[in-house]
């Protein structure tokens, strides 16, 4: 939805004395805690409605349905009249709930405030997990984060209380783990303002990552649009054993499909091999489906999910799911658009990277590959945890390896960090002794937060520019992502392999075949890891970290200071003036991979996620300029001097010159962060012209009134010169399915006429006309 620039209006944002907060008592057991936190006003589980909609659509289509189709079509706003065609039509859906992490929730809530609506229309939650920097250890880092981010946390807490949104305080844990423990259930449709929201697919949910503007649509009670996904089937046979883990399934799939192979599709796992994977293991697989561009991923309901629901205090939901199981598994005879088959009994441990999550290698081969390519063999740091791999089972299996090393008098040769996924996981692994084992082997237990996975890591052991290797159990390993060092070679693998490599200290170690040397000189091999799927006792809920929205919030006030450097109220973007876009200056022609990390970096920039003007100072500073192979160095065509990308963009805007970015394939890959769309719009951009887009980023651009366009002929990318001006013609008759024209004007006076495609539907064309989706919403109120 739309977005906005600074206004000097001051909106008070502090809790009034009469404001009521409902807290979950720390004395309650885990089951009571999740029960209270789950049921906000308006929450309901209606399998009857889901079944009714599925029945309508199945009769209309007259064919068996995949599980993905059942859940998605089961949430149609108009199941009787909706046009349904995989990969072509736009569906209007009614999601059950919304979840937002703190870095993206700031802009989402600022936009919701701008909408003028009094309360959210569906159950929604905010999760404080992105703003906690890893530096010393969990306790110290959390304390410092609360002090540094007090203004932002206060804004989110009071905005949540004001508008009916539940608030998980800093230290609660990572959004996706909290969702799995509390909110995901078989058949739910949940959207989240984070690209790894698909984690919930491990519990039979359709959980989709979106930008904040999409979340505002749903919170406003407006049907949410999604292009009808194709469905990729992954048939699993055999069973996992030994060193092979659930992470290896998605590492293998990423190697097959690549970072864009899942674009526009839901990945649906099925087959007899599914039952050999734990519920949290299935979540790991779905989580990292974001790395192949998939809309989401999902597993069918089974006994592993039922066990997890029971253990997390949701036996009532498990009983309901049992009764409606036929709607929570694929129909016999359903058809997939593509099928991949993986025999889990033959699957070997994998490690992917560096610099991209789809560069897959068997662990047994990575040492030789690294030597051949000149990648550093020494493992400087091993990092386990994150939203992808921080379950009780993950920590238990890692601890089983650490215990073997300790028994032989060894500690990790590499630095070693551990990130629990939630306060519940932290408390439980502390109680059950895993944390002590992991600390004893040399680990540092960090806060229950994203930390190094999203660049919140105050790393001190290497200098910037120093070539080095790290291995993580995370999901994403783009250049500079974890530590802002472009020379860091980051590899993603399972927590078990990370632990083994941290103990060995080198990539040239295959734990299945290679030996370690004990303190007494004895040679020994690590036994395959083992760990319980779930704790034998109930989970320990740990500290009380949840704030329930009060029933009465009229006395709750929200405060955004006009002098704040962290938060900024928003003004509407300008409407389309009814004319073609003439003589747009090429700001930068981007070479190669350009992720949302390149467009709007995280790490130290996270602190500005609620302040559009300040965060815009990082726009495209990581993108490679094809003119000089440099980052953040482009030529200002008005002055002839070179400057940073945002600086030149600001100069163009100040002089009334609109601009266009030209990019390569899968532009906007990675995070759901809508700041990568907000910033170009704020700084005067009108068009992003590329070979192809990642799904979320393309939608985010449309929401903000930008024109995301693709070359009808990808080779036309080569016709664009860095000093060109481009006019976009045909906007007077801008319509779905109708290409636009680009007039490329070269500095030597010559021109090229190129055809430009788009994926706008009728509603989205109105967003462009209005200047943004939020502007359009306000027009319709």
């Amino acid at each position: 939805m739309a977005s906005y620039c600074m206004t000097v209006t001051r909106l008070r944002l502090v809790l009034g004395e009469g404001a009521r907060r409902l807290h979950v008592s720390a004395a309650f057991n885990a089951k009571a805690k999740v029960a209270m936190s789950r049921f906000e006003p308006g929450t309901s589980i209606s399998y009857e409605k889901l079944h009714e909609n599925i029945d309508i659509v199945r009769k209309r289509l007259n064919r068996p349905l995949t599980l993905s189709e059942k859940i998605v079509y089961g949430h149609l706003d108009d199941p009787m009249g909706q046009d349904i065609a995989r990969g072509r039509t736009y569906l209007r859906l009614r999601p059950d709930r919304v979840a937002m992490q703190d870095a993206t929730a700031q802009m989402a809530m600022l936009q919701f405030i701008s909408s003028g609506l009094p309360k959210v229309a569906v159950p929604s939650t905010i999760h404080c997990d992105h703003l906690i920097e890893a530096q010393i250890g969990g306790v110290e880092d959390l304390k410092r984060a609360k002090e540094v981010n007090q203004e932002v946390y206060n804004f989110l807490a009071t905005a949540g209380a004001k508008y009916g949104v539940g608030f998980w305080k800093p230290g609660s844990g990572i959004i996706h783990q909290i969702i799995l423990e509390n909110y995901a259930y078989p058949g739910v449709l949940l959207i989240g303002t984070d690209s790894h929201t698909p984690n919930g697919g491990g519990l039979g949910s359709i959980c989709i990552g979106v930008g904040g503007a999409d979340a505002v649509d749903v919170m406003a009670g407006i049907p949410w649009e999604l292009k009808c996904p194709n469905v990729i089937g992954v048939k699993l046979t055999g069973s996992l054993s030994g060193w092979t883990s659930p992470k290896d399934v998605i590492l293998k799939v990423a190697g097959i499909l690549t970072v864009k192979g899942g674009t526009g599709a839901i990945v649906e796992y099925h087959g007899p091999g599914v039952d050999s994977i734990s519920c949290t293991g299935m979540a790991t697989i779905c989580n990292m489906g974001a790395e192949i561009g998939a809309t989401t991923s999902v597993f069918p309901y089974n006994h592993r999910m039922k066990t997890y629901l029971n253990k997390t205090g949701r036996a009532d939901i498990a009983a309901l799911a049992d009764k409606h199981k036929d709607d929570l598994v694929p129909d016999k005879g359903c058809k997939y658009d593509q099928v991949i088959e993986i025999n889990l009994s033959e699957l070997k441990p994998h490690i992917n990277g560096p610099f991209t999550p789809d560069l897959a290698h068997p662990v047994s081969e990575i040492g030789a590959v690294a030597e051949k390519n000149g990648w550093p063999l020494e493992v400087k740091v091993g990092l386990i945890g994150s939203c992808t791999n921080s379950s009780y089972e993950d920590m238990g299996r890692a601890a089983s390896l650490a215990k073997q090393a300790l028994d032989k008098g060894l500690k990790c040769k590499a630095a070693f960090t551990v990130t629990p996924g939630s306060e519940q996981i932290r408390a439980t692994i502390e109680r059950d002794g895993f944390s002590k084992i992991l600390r004893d082997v040399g680990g540092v237990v960090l806060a229950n937060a994203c930390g190094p996975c999203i660049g919140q890591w105050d790393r001190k052991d290497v200098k910037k520019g120093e070539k080095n290797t790290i291995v993580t159990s995370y999901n994403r390993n783009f250049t500079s992502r974890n530590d802002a060092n472009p020379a860091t070679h980051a590899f993603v693998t399972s927590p078990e392999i990370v632990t083994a490599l941290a103990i060995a200290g080198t990539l040239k170690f295959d734990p299945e075949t290679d030996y370690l040397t004990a303190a007494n000189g004895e040679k020994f091999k690590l036994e395959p890891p083992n760990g319980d799927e779930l704790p034998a006792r109930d989970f320990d809920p740990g500290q009380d970290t949840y704030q329930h929205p009060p029933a009465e919030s009229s006395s709750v006030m929200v405060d955004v200071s006009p002098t704040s450097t962290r938060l900024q109220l928003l003004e509407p973007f300008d409407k389309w003036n009814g004319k073609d876009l003439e003589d747009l200056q090429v700001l930068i022609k981007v070479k190669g991979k350009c992720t949302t990390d390149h467009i709007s970096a995280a790490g130290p920039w996270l602190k500005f996620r609620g302040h559009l003007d300040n965060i815009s100072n990082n726009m495209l500073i990581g993108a490679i300029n094809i003119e000089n192979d440099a980052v953040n160095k482009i030529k200002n065509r008005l002055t002839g001097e070179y400057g940073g990308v945002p600086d030149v963009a600001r100069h163009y805007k100040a002089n009334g010159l609109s601009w266009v970015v030209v990019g390569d394939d899968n532009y906007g890959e990675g995070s759901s962060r809508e700041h990568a769309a907000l910033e170009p719009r704020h700084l005067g951009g009108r068009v992003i012209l590329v070979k192809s887009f990642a799904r979320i980023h393309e939608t985010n651009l449309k929401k903000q009134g930008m024109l995301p366009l693709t070359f009808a002929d990808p080779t036309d990318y080569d016709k664009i010169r860095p000093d060109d001006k481009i006019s976009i013609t045909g906007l007077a008759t801008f319509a779905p399915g109708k290409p636009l024209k680009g007039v490329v004007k070269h500095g030597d006076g010559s021109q090229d006429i190129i055809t430009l495609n788009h994926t706008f539907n009728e509603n989205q064309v109105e967003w462009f006309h209005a200047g943004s989706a939020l502007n359009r919403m306000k027009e319709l109120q």
Side-chain angles (χ1 to χ4, degrees):
M1 225 160 254
S3 276
Y4 289 51
C5 314
M6 183 171 62
T7 174
V8 296
T9 305
R10 182 174 177 81
L11 183 62
R12 294 290 305 163
L13 214 170
V14 292
L15 276 173
E17 289 184 11
R20 205 169 131 248
R21 296 186 183 186
L22 298 181
H23 291 279
V24 182
S25 169
F28 281 11
N29 65 23
K31 293 181 180 181
K33 179 176 180 178
V34 297
M36 284 193 69
S37 65
R38 190 171 70 249
F39 293 112
E40 286 95 350
T43 301
S44 64
I45 300 172
S46 178
Y47 283 120
E48 290 79 10
K49 180 64 175 174
L50 184 74
H51 178 77
E52 178 185 327
N53 286 2
I54 291 170
D55 200 41
I56 290 170
V57 173
R58 188 189 284 114
K59 288 175 181 176
R60 284 184 55 204
L61 299 181
N62 193 30
R63 62 171 173 79
L65 300 177
T66 66
L67 171 60
S68 311
E69 292 180 305
K70 287 182 176 182
I71 302 176
V72 172
Y73 303 162
H75 286 82
L76 286 169
D77 183 53
D78 178 15
M80 189 66 74
Q82 172 72 60
D83 187 16
I84 300 171
R86 284 187 196 170
R88 291 197 296 109
T89 59
Y90 280 87
L91 307 178
R92 291 169 63 80
L93 302 169
R94 291 285 183 177
D96 297 299
R97 70 161 46 243
V98 173
M100 300 167 280
Q101 42 93 336
D102 50 356
T104 51
Q106 295 171 63
M107 195 58 67
M109 291 309 296
L110 286 165
Q111 290 178 89
F112 188 82
I113 290 169
S114 297
S115 76
L117 297 170
K119 291 278 185 180
V120 297
V122 301
S124 304
T125 48
I126 293 168
H127 304 257
C128 295
D129 62 358
H130 270 56
L131 301 179
I132 302 168
E133 184 181 49
Q135 190 179 74
I136 301 170
V139 174
E140 300 93 337
D141 294 346
L142 179 59
K143 180 181 178 182
R144 187 177 69 258
K146 288 178 177 179
E147 294 171 353
V148 170
N149 302 307
Q150 181 180 9
E151 178 186 18
V152 171
Y153 291 148
N154 182 58
F155 167 71
L156 293 174
T158 52
K162 180 71 174 177
Y163 297 103
V165 179
F167 180 70
W168 289 85
K169 303 172 188 176
S172 300
I174 304 172
I175 177 173
H176 311 303
Q177 184 69 25
I178 298 293
I179 289 171
L180 200 72
E181 292 174 352
N182 295 273
Y183 301 123
Y185 61 83
V188 73
L189 175 60
L190 179 151
I191 68 166
T193 60
D194 189 279
S195 57
H196 294 106
T197 301
N199 189 80
L203 203 42
S205 309
I206 291 292
C207 299
I208 301 176
V210 300
D214 276 354
V216 175
D217 273 356
V218 179
M219 291 191 292
I222 297 171
W224 172 62
E225 286 192 342
L226 175 71
K227 195 167 191 178
C228 189
N230 290 316
V231 186
I232 298 173
V234 179
K235 183 178 181 180
L236 302 179
T237 60
S239 60
L240 292 175
S241 62
W243 282 92
T244 307
S245 74
K247 186 67 164 282
D248 297 307
V249 176
I250 186 57
L251 294 175
K252 178 70 173 179
V253 170
I256 295 169
L257 288 177
T258 77
V259 291
K260 62 177 184 177
T263 303
I266 293 176
V267 179
E268 184 173 311
Y269 294 85
H270 62 283
V274 167
D275 286 341
S276 76
I277 306 173
S278 66
C279 178
T280 52
M282 290 186 247
T284 290
I285 294 167
C286 292
N287 176 292
M288 201 176 154
E291 277 28 270
I292 57 173
T295 301
T296 192
S297 302
V298 68
F299 278 82
Y301 178 64
N302 68 358
H303 72 280
R304 308 298 284 263
M305 295 183 192
K306 180 177 181 177
T307 299
Y308 185 80
L309 286 168
N310 288 336
K311 202 69 174 179
T312 52
R314 293 173 285 175
D316 52 343
I317 296 178
L320 283 171
D322 281 343
K323 291 179 181 178
H324 296 273
K325 185 173 182 179
D326 287 347
D327 291 330
L328 304 173
V329 297
D331 287 341
K332 290 182 180 179
C334 67
K335 300 296 183 184
Y336 298 100
D337 296 286
Q338 178 183 353
V339 176
I340 297 167
E341 186 165 337
I342 296 176
N343 185 335
L344 300 179
S345 300
E346 298 174 355
L347 183 65
K348 288 294 186 179
H350 272 63
I351 182 168
N352 288 20
F355 307 125
T356 184
D358 59 348
L359 186 58
H361 321 273
V363 170
S364 59
E365 299 175 9
I366 187 62
V369 174
E371 280 187 318
K372 179 181 177 181
N373 288 284
W375 302 334
L377 287 174
E378 181 189 3
V379 174
K380 285 285 190 181
V381 190
L383 306 99
I384 66 170
S386 86
C387 65
T388 319
N389 279 111
S390 55
S391 67
Y392 184 83
E393 180 181 35
D394 288 329
M395 295 300 174
R397 285 170 66 89
S400 75
L401 297 173
K403 181 68 164 58
Q404 292 180 54
L406 289 169
D407 289 346
K408 297 292 185 178
L410 297 184
K411 290 191 174 187
C412 290
K413 289 185 178 178
F416 187 49
T417 70
V418 180
T419 307
S422 69
E423 170 61 9
Q424 181 164 271
I425 292 295
R426 183 210 62 78
T428 306
I429 65 172
E430 192 72 52
R431 180 196 69 192
D432 292 351
F434 298 165
S435 294
K436 183 179 188 305
I437 293 170
L438 294 170
R439 281 193 293 263
D440 288 348
V441 83
V444 175
V445 179
L446 301 174
N448 315 321
C450 300
C453 184
I454 48 95
Q456 285 284 49
W457 184 15
D458 185 21
R459 189 178 180 191
K460 301 291 190 184
D461 63 303
V462 297
K463 296 178 181 178
K464 190 169 183 178
E466 182 180 340
K467 199 173 175 182
N468 73 102
T469 285
I470 65 173
V471 292
T472 82
S473 70
Y474 303 162
N475 42 44
R476 203 162 273 168
N477 59 343
F478 302 143
T479 303
S480 302
R481 178 173 176 87
N482 302 122
D483 61 0
N485 181 3
T488 293
H489 293 56
F491 295 84
V492 290
T493 185
S494 68
E496 300 94 308
I497 297 298
V498 172
T499 305
L501 295 181
I503 293 167
T506 176
L507 284 179
K508 205 170 183 179
F509 177 72
D510 178 2
E512 289 191 295
T513 59
D514 293 343
Y515 288 80
L516 295 168
T517 303
N520 63 4
E522 170 193 354
K523 299 288 186 180
F524 74 99
K525 278 174 60 177
L526 292 169
E527 294 297 322
N530 64 80
D532 293 334
E533 176 180 351
L534 294 163
R537 293 181 279 172
D538 283 342
F539 278 107
D540 183 336
Q543 299 179 33
D544 168 20
T545 56
Y546 178 70
Q547 173 184 296
H548 197 83
E552 167 53 43
S553 62
S554 60
S555 59
V556 179
M557 304 295 287
V558 185
D559 180 30
V560 176
S561 168
T563 61
S564 172
T565 61
R566 300 287 302 270
L567 298 165
Q568 181 186 55
L569 295 177
L570 304 172
E571 289 180 355
F573 287 135
D574 58 303
K575 295 183 179 182
W576 176 55
N577 63 8
K579 301 177 182 178
D580 287 337
L581 298 175
E582 296 285 350
D583 293 332
L584 302 177
Q585 178 66 57
V586 173
L587 177 70
I588 180 174
K589 183 178 179 182
V590 177
K591 179 181 178 181
K593 184 189 283 282
C594 189
T595 71
T596 49
D597 278 16
H598 296 96
I599 304 167
S600 177
W605 292 95
L606 284 170
K607 61 179 173 286
F608 297 125
R609 284 286 183 85
H611 196 291
L612 180 54
D613 196 55
N614 283 344
I615 191 70
S616 294
N617 289 323
N618 76 358
M619 187 192 72
L620 287 162
I621 62 174
I624 298 174
N625 179 10
I626 200 168
E627 186 178 19
N628 54 12
D629 283 337
V631 295
N632 202 29
K633 185 179 181 182
I634 61 173
K635 190 172 185 178
N636 185 324
R637 305 299 166 178
L638 296 180
T639 67
E641 298 177 352
Y642 281 85
V645 181
D647 301 320
V648 174
R650 287 184 187 276
H651 187 259
Y652 287 168
K653 181 181 179 181
N655 285 274
L657 179 60
S658 297
W659 47 264
V660 55
V661 168
V662 178
D664 212 316
D665 267 318
N666 206 32
Y667 185 90
E669 169 192 346
S671 168
S672 70
R673 67 192 69 159
E674 64 183 341
H675 299 76
L678 282 161
E679 294 172 30
R681 184 73 161 102
H682 176 61
L683 294 184
R686 298 313 307 265
V687 174
I688 308 294
L689 174 56
V690 301
K691 293 180 182 177
S692 65
F693 283 102
R695 174 189 64 87
I696 301 176
H697 186 58
E698 182 180 25
T699 300
N700 286 345
L701 289 166
K702 292 177 183 178
K703 289 276 186 177
Q704 305 306 337
M706 294 284 288
L707 270 181
L709 304 174
T710 57
F711 297 102
D713 179 355
T715 63
D716 284 343
Y717 168 87
D718 299 321
K719 295 178 181 177
I720 310 296
R721 304 170 191 170
D723 62 342
D724 285 345
K725 289 189 175 181
I726 303 176
S727 295
I728 309 299
T729 65
L731 290 175
T733 56
F734 186 28
K738 184 176 181 180
L740 297 169
K741 291 292 183 183
V743 181
V744 184
K745 303 175 183 179
H746 305 301
D748 60 8
S750 62
Q751 293 187 357
D752 281 300
I753 308 296
I754 60 177
T755 302
L756 306 176
N757 291 336
H758 65 86
T759 61
F760 281 76
N761 63 22
E762 290 181 1
N763 287 336
Q764 294 168 351
V765 170
E766 292 303 316
W767 299 345
F768 173 74
H769 289 162
S772 72
L774 186 54
N775 288 359
R776 181 59 178 161
M777 178 200 289
K778 297 179 83 169
E779 287 178 355
L780 295 174
Q781 285 181 11

